[in-house]
Amino acid sequence: MEDQSLSRSLLRIFLWGVAGVTCAAIVGVASVMISGWLLSGVENANGGRRAAAERSAIGDYFGGVSAVFSGMALLLLVITLLFQQRELRLQRQELSLQRQELVSSRDELRRSAQADMRGLHVQLTQMAMNDPVLADVWNDYPGEPTEVVRQHLFANLVFGHYLLFYSWGGSTEAEVLQYARTLVRSPAFHRYWEASRGAKEGLPADSDEGRLFRLFEQAIREARAEGMPTPP
């Protein structure tokens, strides 16, 4: 029973294969015949095979001319792309300059704001120096005599002056260190430094004020190594 089913399946496959090959052959023959008929019709419509060949040659000529124009169009396209690339590069450069100008303007605004704050601080310090009652409001140096408080306030102004000058790039670390070596030999400034060291020790190490603090500390260590007395 199974052998009969297998035989029928093989037979159907064979018949379908024969039918497929036959159809493919018929389609191929028909395509050749129709192509020949169409070609013959085109030749008759154009005055014969010779006229069709001549016209084909003319078409090939115009095809060459068309290729030349196509090449020129491609060349123009490449040139256009190069110009566009150049324009984009110039635009990027212009945007970069604009960003630099914005950064410079922002830096100038920050410096102007810092200068205004510095001016306000100087004004308040001067008021405290001129009036001991106002100096008591800050209470930075409690228990100190009035003259000592005034000296401390002035020394703080001097330190702030060097800080502003250093942060704006007006002095190098070597120059600031040289100024500090002179200042720390003043007993009045040395007293101020000892009184304010605790507040300055907590400054961020990477800040301008922190770096300036370390420079002054270096100057004090050098002065002590040379025998400078510690202020009372």
Side-chain angles (χ1 to χ4, degrees), residues 23-33:
C23 290
I26 294 173
V27 171
V29 173
S31 299
V32 172
M33 294 177 62

Side-chain angles (χ1 to χ4, degrees), residues 24 28 39 42 50 56 69 76 81 101 109 122 126 143 157 159-160 170 198 212 216 228:
L39 182 60
V42 170
R50 182 175 180 181
S56 176
F69 281 105
L76 291 175
L81 292 175
E101 291 178 358
L109 289 174
V122 170
Q126 288 175 343
L157 284 179
F159 179 77
L212 196 67
F216 272 80
M228 183 187 70

Side-chain angles (χ1 to χ4, degrees), residues 38-100:
L38 290 175
L39 182 60
S40 177
V42 170
E43 290 177 352
N44 294 331
N46 288 278
R49 180 172 298 178
R50 182 175 180 181
E54 293 176 353
R55 294 181 181 180
S56 176
I58 295 175
D60 292 339
Y61 170 77
F62 283 105
V65 174
S66 177
V68 172
F69 281 105
S70 298
M72 294 177 63
L74 180 60
L75 180 61
L76 291 175
L77 178 61
V78 171
I79 294 174
T80 302
L81 292 175
L82 291 176
F83 274 110
Q84 289 180 349
Q85 184 180 10
R86 180 175 178 273
E87 290 295 328
L88 290 174
R89 184 171 62 254
L90 292 176
Q91 289 179 1
R92 286 195 296 269
Q93 292 176 355
E94 184 176 357
L95 290 175
S96 178
L97 292 175
Q98 290 178 357
R99 284 195 296 269
Q100 293 176 2

